[in-house]
Amino acid sequence: MPQLEIRDLEVYYKVPFGTIKTLFGIQLDVEKGDSIGIVGESGSGKSTLGLSIVRLLPPNAIARGHIFFNGTDLLALPASKMKDYRGTGIFMIMQDPFNSLNPVKKVREQLIEALRIKYLRRNERVPEESLYDEVLKKLKDVKLPDPETIMDRYPHQLSGGQIQRIVIAMGLLLEPSILIADEPTSALDVSVQAQIIALIKELQDKYKMSLLFITHDLSVAYAVSEKLLILYGGRILEFGNTEDVMNSPAHPYTEGLLKSFPRGNYRDGKLYTLQGAPPLFTDLPNGCVFNPRCPYAFDRCYQEEPGLYDYMGRKVRCFLRHE
Ligand code: ATP
Ligand code: SF4
């Protein structure tokens, strides 16, 4: 059984002029140890997907469908029960690390508090010194220099890179089986971005977690993932083995993204920019959501929406791949 099974997930946001639908029939299986890169342009629904899984969508959102975590449907749980799964089962690293920590508590207090919650849920009693040692060990794991000093600091006394490492340490302390990282370096200096990405990957392997890595950057997804999910207009357009998708994209959108991506074996030497912009959820085209930008669109593409078809070991939402 997959660790996580997402079935028919739809998300709507209530806005002053009505309701907009932003995720459409998402189906996804996450197997133990999977690393999945979730790639899409801004507004494609990536964060909405991640936040749905940990049930941290904003109050104006409505999620329908099923998200089974080890067989339990998270979407059907009362909010109070969801606390047993968030953090200790599935941990999400957010885009802006400063929002993940309490500004008025020292790092030490926050990490020890997280640990206490873990042991409380397991009904285990652990002495305070052991909690401290465990926190210190994890701060070393995330390669924070001088962790003893850092534990006595408040978040505002630390850099964005240091805070993101502390948030990752907090995740590790909770021992989640699934780690979701939502553009974890977008708020950080370019100089530390690559280090944080490499750290997440290293720790995923070390602690045997599954990883859902959300990014708009195909090269980052290529570096961290073994499976690639391409999201566009709230739909999965392609999902498959990262190497296969990168070497022979099956969806015209993936092909366009790859042609503008500087990696040797798909480029033909010409500069290429994907024409047009992603659709607005308030004004989606009829038929295939990609038809306004698709160089291969034909009559049917303007009348009917393609399904997510099985094609050469992957899933592709395009009539051209429906045999
Ligand atoms: P980005 O890379 O810019 O973070 P994304 O792919 O993560 O984008 P989402 O943040 O999931 O996309 O947003 C998907 C759509 O949902 C967007 O059109 C966005 O405007 C809309 N949306 C997100 N949050 C809300 C909200 N709280 N209320 C109304 N609409 C929202
Ligand atoms: Fe292009 Fe048609 Fe395929 Fe959509 S279904 S991606 S418009 S060819």
Side-chain angles (χ1 to χ4, degrees), residues 237 250-253 287-298 300-302 304-306 309 316-321:
L237 293 194
H251 195 283
Y253 176 59
C288 173
V289 71
F290 188 58
N291 68 28
R293 299 172 84 185
C294 183
Y296 309 108
F298 56 104
R300 189 180 178 192
C301 307
Y302 298 95
E304 266 179 71
E305 176 161 16
Y309 308 118
V316 186
R317 190 179 295 281
C318 174
F319 291 127
L320 296 175
R321 306 302 183 199

Side-chain angles (χ1 to χ4, degrees), residues 58-79:
N60 65 329
I62 304 161
R64 300 228 171 93
H66 307 278
I67 299 179
F68 296 102
F69 174 61
N70 293 329
T72 301
D73 188 356
L74 300 181
L75 288 188
L77 287 177

